Amino acid sequence: MPEFDTAGLGQWTDPDVFEVSAERIGQYAAATNDPIRRHLDGEVAPPVFGIVPVFNSLVPAALSVAPPELLARLVHGEQDFRFHRPIRPGDKLTSRAKPVGVHGKPNGTAVVVYTETVDADGELVNEQWMTAFFRKVDAGVTTGDLAPSHTFDESLREVEPAAEVKAHVDDDQTFRYAPASGDPMPIHLDDELAKMAGLPGIIAHGLCTMAFTSWAVLTEFADSRVERLGRLAVRFAKPVLPGQDLTTRIWPAAPGSVAFETTVDGELVVKDGLAELTS
């Protein structure tokens, strides 16, 4: 049984600097089928673009606790963004990450990673909690922090959703998203390697699916204004495959927030979705 090293909890990765360009923003928007013109034109970044500056810190942070030989078992479990301001072209961003919790269960182990991104003036741009889930490996230990809660209120099912947004995952989606996001993980690009990892084949990046849900929320409830989004959080329930159709259903929840979930053929692929909005 590979051992998880909890001594790595709380240890920051080295800072990583990322310079934002309008071209990269537009590339990311196009790679996530984002319909919002300001995103496609590179005027302001889509919310999930926030993963791009921190990506190079995430895996090293997770693998400072998890054994590197388990990388092939890694899937994205949850993601929670807290936005302090939007990302814009010309920003010079510095990001770092640290693992904050390890939670072993019989079906797998969750490693919670916290990140922060600041601008050139040292002002906080966003915070993130990423849960890396190592399938079918029980670390035999539970310690440290859990990611913040964003559980779906089941009573919302008593009413019809206020919006339902349909989208299609293109056959080449992962090959467009990988360079736009900087995520080259083989399970998204190599069918044979994905099957060797126990998956049905190439799967869509979890953050790509999350980006689809983000523009669904923004277009339906925020006048397509990313400036109005303060938090976006999801739990990934099941892999999404290229060629599949997504349906995102959205309900008004607590004041200033909406809850959402996404299905493929009636099966949940994104659950416990929460977006907090300002007026």
Side-chain angles (χ1 to χ4, degrees):
M1 169 78 66
E3 292 190 5
F4 285 69
D5 182 9
T6 57
L9 294 178
Q11 301 299 310
W12 288 105
T13 60
D14 292 335
D16 192 58
V17 178
F18 182 88
E19 296 190 20
V20 183
S21 68
E23 180 182 9
R24 187 67 180 271
I25 290 172
Q27 182 187 19
Y28 189 89
T32 56
N33 297 4
D34 192 323
I36 298 174
R37 192 74 255 166
R38 297 168 71 222
H39 299 168
L40 292 165
D41 289 344
E43 177 184 336
V44 63
V48 183
F49 182 88
I51 198 67
V52 178
V54 307
F55 184 80
N56 288 336
S57 301
L58 287 176
V59 173
L63 294 183
S64 70
V65 172
E69 60 265 32
L70 296 182
L71 182 60
R73 295 179 179 267
L74 170 61
V75 294
H76 209 139
E78 295 185 55
Q79 182 73 24
D80 190 342
F81 290 92
R82 306 293 178 95
F83 304 103
H84 297 273
R85 72 159 175 85
I87 294 173
R88 298 184 181 278
D91 280 337
K92 187 173 182 178
L93 304 176
T94 300
S95 301
R96 59 180 185 163
K98 63 180 177 181
V100 296
V102 178
H103 307 280
K105 295 182 179 180
N107 67 330
T109 294
V111 175
V112 181
V113 176
Y114 169 78
T115 78
E116 62 178 24
T117 298
V118 300
D119 61 21
D121 296 323
E123 296 296 322
L124 195 58
V125 175
N126 64 62
E127 301 168 271
Q128 303 176 41
W129 285 261
M130 185 275 287
T131 301
F133 188 71
F134 294 87
R135 298 174 298 117
K136 301 179 181 179
V137 177
D138 186 350
V141 63
T142 294
T143 186
D145 297 337
L146 292 167
S149 175
H150 49 94
T151 305
F152 186 88
D153 181 355
E154 291 296 327
S155 68
L156 294 175
R157 299 191 192 284
E158 298 174 7
V159 298
E160 287 296 308
E164 184 174 286
V165 179
K166 296 184 181 296
H168 180 72
V169 181
D170 298 326
D171 290 341
D172 67 345
Q173 199 87 51
T174 64
F175 296 95
R176 290 159 43 216
Y177 186 83
S181 65
D183 182 349
M185 293 284 283
I187 59 174
H188 307 301
L189 302 170
D190 189 307
D191 199 59
E192 184 176 344
L193 287 177
K195 290 176 179 176
M196 288 174 61
L199 297 166
I202 286 173
I203 64 171
H205 300 72
L207 270 296
C208 183
T209 304
M210 188 179 189
F212 274 68
T213 69
S214 73
W215 56 252
V217 169
L218 289 177
T219 55
E220 295 293 328
F221 289 91
D223 300 318
S224 298
R225 303 287 298 182
V226 67
E227 293 87 349
R228 292 184 55 191
L229 187 61
R231 182 185 181 190
L232 185 71
V234 301
R235 180 190 298 269
F236 300 105
K238 186 177 179 181
V240 172
L241 307 181
Q244 291 186 323
D245 293 312
L246 305 176
T247 300
T248 299
R249 306 171 79 215
I250 312 169
W251 292 260
S257 70
V258 298
F260 61 92
E261 58 187 22
T262 302
T263 59
V264 170
D265 295 330
E267 289 193 55
L268 278 175
V269 294
V270 171
K271 60 190 288 188
D272 295 337
L274 174 68
E276 294 179 357
L277 303 166
T278 60
S279 57

